[in-house]
Amino acid sequence: MNEIDNTFFEEYKRLDNLCMDLLSSKSGVSEYISQMETSRFGQYYIPSWDNDYRTLKHLRWVRNRIAHDTMGGTISDECDLTMVRDFYTRILSREDPFAQLREVQDRKKELFSSEKRQTSETRNSITDDTYYSVSTQAGKKKAHIGFVACIAVFALIIVVYVFLKSI
């Protein structure tokens, strides 16, 4: 193994160990990839999700090629080394896909509870009395219409009765 492949391999192991700790798993980067595959919302909420997924798959592929290399040639390059270091740093600074997804979910929960609280406060401050008075007014209108309809039907029956009696 040459120097750049050796450096990449060590950096990858460091990333893998961090992922193991983060995800409480023995699989590390592979578990991170697996959870990205099963996450239903990440790709919709996190713009870099697909790119990060492909990057991790590529880094794992490079690591596996280095681990199983029998030819002795250089497999990784500076770009691969930069990518593995960058992803490690992003996890530590909570800028990785899952940290971003948790942030989005927390914001949604906060907005939902804020809207729910605001709706409850509005209902309690304005509508308790207003709601009952509005619904009472609507009920009074319906009762009034029903009463007028009953009187009209009763009047019609009397008119028909008088008309039939006169014949």
Side-chain angles (χ1 to χ4, degrees), residues 52-110:
D52 290 330
Y53 173 75
R54 284 190 300 272
T55 297
L56 286 174
K57 295 226 9 156
H58 172 75
L59 294 174
R60 185 177 63 181
W61 176 77
V62 170
R63 180 257 174 225
N64 288 341
R65 285 195 56 212
I66 292 170
H68 302 292
D69 179 44
T70 57
M71 304 303 256
T74 302
I75 296 172
S76 64
D77 58 25
E78 286 295 325
C79 184
D80 296 327
L81 192 55
T82 301
M83 284 190 293
V84 75
R85 286 176 176 159
D86 285 348
F87 204 83
Y88 182 88
T89 303
R90 286 179 59 205
I91 290 176
L92 290 180
S93 63
R94 294 188 172 148
E95 296 173 358
D96 65 291
F98 285 128
Q100 292 176 24
L101 186 59
R102 277 190 299 277
E103 196 173 298
V104 167
Q105 290 170 336
D106 290 345
R107 274 186 272 153
K108 287 180 89 176
K109 284 179 186 174
E110 185 178 308

Side-chain angles (χ1 to χ4, degrees), residues 3 33 38 45 52 55 75 101 115 117 129 135 140 146:
E3 186 177 333
I33 291 168
T38 59
Y45 293 112
D52 290 330
T55 297
I75 296 172
L101 186 59
E115 288 174 1
R117 195 171 41 251
D129 294 330
S135 70
K140 285 180 182 178

Side-chain angles (χ1 to χ4, degrees), residues 137-152:
Q137 289 172 358
K140 285 180 182 178
K141 284 182 181 180
K142 286 182 182 177
H144 182 70
I145 291 170
F147 180 72
V148 170
C150 284
I151 290 178

Side-chain angles (χ1 to χ4, degrees), residues 4-163:
I4 192 162
D5 285 345
N6 191 34
T7 304
F8 173 85
F9 200 80
E10 292 303 314
E11 292 293 325
Y12 183 89
K13 283 196 308 191
R14 193 168 74 126
L15 174 63
D16 198 46
N17 288 331
L18 180 62
C19 289
M20 284 183 209
D21 291 342
L22 179 71
L23 303 172
S24 301
S25 169
K26 294 181 182 179
S27 301
V29 172
S30 292
E31 180 63 23
Y32 199 103
I33 291 168
S34 176
Q35 287 191 21
M36 285 184 85
E37 290 170 344
T38 59
S39 175
R40 296 180 295 165
F41 302 110
Q43 62 190 359
Y44 301 111
Y45 293 112
I46 310 303
S48 65
W49 187 272
D50 291 332
N51 188 49
D52 290 330
Y53 173 75
R54 284 190 300 272
T55 297
L56 286 174
K57 295 226 9 156
H58 172 75
L59 294 174
R60 185 177 63 181
W61 176 77
V62 170
R63 180 257 174 225
N64 288 341
R65 285 195 56 212
I66 292 170
H68 302 292
D69 179 44
T70 57
M71 304 303 256
T74 302
I75 296 172
S76 64
D77 58 25
E78 286 295 325
C79 184
D80 296 327
L81 192 55
T82 301
M83 284 190 293
V84 75
R85 286 176 176 159
D86 285 348
F87 204 83
Y88 182 88
T89 303
R90 286 179 59 205
I91 290 176
L92 290 180
S93 63
R94 294 188 172 148
E95 296 173 358
D96 65 291
F98 285 128
Q100 292 176 24
L101 186 59
R102 277 190 299 277
E103 196 173 298
V104 167
Q105 290 170 336
D106 290 345
R107 274 186 272 153
K108 287 180 89 176
K109 284 179 186 174
E110 185 178 308
L111 283 172
F112 178 73
S113 65
S114 172
E115 288 174 1
K116 190 175 180 182
R117 195 171 41 251
Q118 187 177 20
T119 302
S120 175
E121 289 170 1
T122 303
R123 185 178 300 131
N124 290 338
S125 64
I126 300 172
T127 60
D128 279 350
D129 294 330
T130 308
Y131 173 77
Y132 291 116
S133 65
V134 167
S135 70
T136 303
Q137 289 172 358
K140 285 180 182 178
K141 284 182 181 180
K142 286 182 182 177
H144 182 70
I145 291 170
F147 180 72
V148 170
C150 284
I151 290 178
V153 169
F154 184 69
L156 184 62
I157 290 173
I158 291 174
V159 169
V160 169
Y161 176 76
V162 170
F163 177 74

